Amino acid sequence: QGSPLRWGAPNEENVRWGTILGFYAGMGRLDDTSTPLPSGGLYIGGMLGPTVGLVGCFSLASGSDAAGGAMGFAWGLAVQGWPVTRIALRGGPALVLALDPGFRSPVLGPGLTGGVSVAVVKVGSFVLDLRLDMTASLSAAFGSLGVGVNLN
């Protein structure tokens, strides 16, 4: 007989099930700004298999320059996978809203969202990670570097 499973898979196993829930915060920047400002996002979904899930995601990035502040928002549907236990990759289509510096010229259009994260702390289904999230459309690109917390 092997050791019993308590809550979740053992930390060294690359197996997940159930709900995926996470949020992150960090510093972000838009392609048309020079100064990074706070950014973040969240995602929720479910597992399709032991190492692949489907998530709905939202991201926000802000930045500023001499003309004022700018913001980017993205709402997407993405596939999230874990090629190894502590590395997660996410990518998929998104609807992107970008506001130029001075909060002028809002543009809404299709784009892509993606991210990569490395788990620094993993205890059962709880993960604290370092992450890079990016969004791009025909009118804007923005990203965030930060820390995330998730359950999966």
Side-chain angles (χ1 to χ4, degrees):
Q1 291 182 350
S3 61
L5 285 176
R6 285 192 243 156
W7 186 255
N11 282 342
E12 67 277 359
E13 294 297 320
N14 193 20
V15 176
R16 290 163 175 79
W17 57 82
T19 303
I20 303 169
L21 174 63
F23 66 91
Y24 57 91
M27 295 301 284
R29 193 172 87 85
L30 284 81
D31 60 345
D32 56 359
T33 62
S34 57
T35 304
L37 289 174
S39 62
L42 57 94
Y43 52 93
I44 187 168
M47 296 301 297
L48 300 174
T51 61
V52 177
L54 185 65
V55 294
C57 49
F58 168 76
S59 60
L60 157 72
S62 54
S64 69
D65 66 9
M71 297 184 88
F73 302 90
W75 300 267
L77 185 64
V79 172
Q80 183 162 321
W82 290 263
V84 295
T85 302
R86 293 185 176 261
I87 297 177
L89 304 172
R90 178 181 49 81
L95 181 63
V96 179
L97 174 62
L99 296 121
D100 287 339
F103 300 108
R104 294 184 309 266
S105 308
V107 177
L108 182 67
L112 297 172
T113 184
V116 61
S117 68
V118 176
V120 177
V121 176
K122 182 178 184 305
V123 179
S125 62
F126 173 82
V127 175
L128 175 69
D129 57 18
L130 296 176
R131 55 186 310 118
L132 173 66
D133 292 274
M134 300 293 294
T135 299
S137 71
L138 295 176
S139 62
F142 53 89
S144 172
L145 180 63
V147 176
V149 174
N150 58 72
L151 297 170
N152 52 32

